[in-house]
Amino acid sequence: MGAATYFRRAIETLERVAASQTEALAQAAERMVGAITDGKAIYSFGASHSFMITEELVYRTGGLMLVNPIYPHGMNLFVRPMTSTSKLERVPGLGKVLLDTAPVAAGDIVLVTSTSGRNPVPIDLAIAARERGASIIGITALAYTDAVTSRHPQGLKLKDVCDVLLDNGAPHGDAAVTIEGFAQAVGPLSSITGIALANALMVETVDRLVAQGYTPPVFVSANLDEGDAFNARLLAENQHRIHYLG
């Protein structure tokens, strides 16, 4: 049964990612802890479907309040025709323009997601953020990116411009299930594994902060009776590094 096959592939890949990314997650969390305790900001970016990782992290129950989105203008599902998103993420220099919409500064963390890791926009955004003194945590699929050529003018891939790289374990082409009698693979994995990696990073970061005696600002559900007041207090206390409220 196709559904069962997909669930099995997803679970197997998640287990492999959990086992293989322990050290990279620890390194990324240490950078996050350093930035947060130093009063710095956290940002997240992805173009097209990779922006789903950012959407999962921002203004989310159980998530760090400090994650600020960098919006992929022209590269999300609101754009028409939707096929233009694929063309725009290949435009050299656009990533730097998008970074200019965010107050990224030295010491900040920028999480950049690109499963193929080959298109110029996330690469240029990461390069521009590093030039400002920010640290880059990348999420990509090594099996995918190692099997394709770069579209960046300098031949770079996302993995080449990161301080810490997390591998989401998605296969070449992302789709993971082959159906007998049908040539095209179906069932992408990168959103499931990418979101799991990003949330694992946030949990590891909070765990390390608490171990140091630091209480990080984490959202509770706004649908809890005390949720609105609790979140409003922490948002106000951390407004100097939360840039999505205006």
Side-chain angles (χ1 to χ4, degrees):
M1 185 177 180
T5 300
Y6 181 76
F7 277 121
R8 185 170 65 252
R9 293 285 170 80
I11 291 168
E12 290 170 351
T13 305
L14 282 169
E15 289 177 340
R16 187 168 64 251
V17 168
S20 66
Q21 298 306 295
T22 302
E23 182 55 35
L25 281 167
Q27 293 176 14
E30 275 302 296
R31 287 180 180 265
M32 293 273 289
V33 167
I36 291 169
T37 56
D38 200 29
K40 304 299 183 180
I42 311 297
Y43 296 87
S44 181
F45 174 81
S48 299
H49 284 91
S50 290
F51 190 62
M52 291 170 64
I53 312 303
T54 297
E55 291 180 312
E56 172 68 13
L57 295 178
V58 176
Y59 194 55
R60 188 70 164 90
T61 298
L64 273 171
M65 290 184 175
L66 307 178
V67 182
N68 297 279
I70 301 175
Y71 291 97
H73 298 288
M75 289 166 283
N76 57 43
L77 300 187
F78 294 105
V79 175
R80 298 293 183 272
M82 202 173 296
T83 51
S84 65
T85 63
S86 296
K87 297 178 181 178
L88 286 171
E89 66 182 340
R90 302 177 189 181
V91 176
L94 180 56
K96 184 179 185 304
V97 174
L98 293 175
L99 187 74
D100 287 341
T101 67
V104 174
D108 289 342
I109 300 287
V110 181
L111 179 67
V112 181
T113 302
S114 173
T115 293
S116 73
R118 70 184 306 202
N119 290 312
V121 165
I123 297 168
D124 284 338
L125 185 141
I127 291 171
R130 291 183 88 180
E131 289 174 349
R132 294 192 192 182
S135 292
I136 308 301
I137 298 172
I139 297 179
T140 195
L142 286 178
Y144 196 156
T145 199
D146 288 344
V148 296
T149 58
S150 170
R151 291 188 174 125
H152 191 271
Q154 298 176 35
L156 297 169
K157 297 179 181 179
L158 179 61
K159 68 175 185 176
D160 300 319
V161 295
C162 296
D163 297 289
V164 182
L165 186 69
L166 301 174
D167 180 10
N168 68 24
H172 177 211
D174 200 358
V177 176
T178 301
I179 296 174
E180 186 175 355
F182 187 69
Q184 186 175 338
V186 295
L189 286 181
S190 62
S191 298
I192 290 175
T193 57
I195 286 172
L197 263 178
N199 276 320
L201 173 59
M202 298 304 149
V203 172
E204 182 68 20
T205 299
V206 171
D207 185 48
R208 290 170 182 247
L209 286 167
V210 171
Q212 293 185 16
Y214 184 98
T215 303
V218 171
F219 283 108
V220 300
S221 174
N223 293 313
L224 295 175
D225 289 340
E226 72 279 10
D228 287 344
F230 179 90
N231 291 333
R233 176 177 60 82
L234 290 182
L235 285 168
E237 290 174 0
N238 292 276
Q239 61 181 317
H240 63 289
R241 50 182 170 170
I242 297 175
H243 306 294
Y244 52 81
L245 298 176

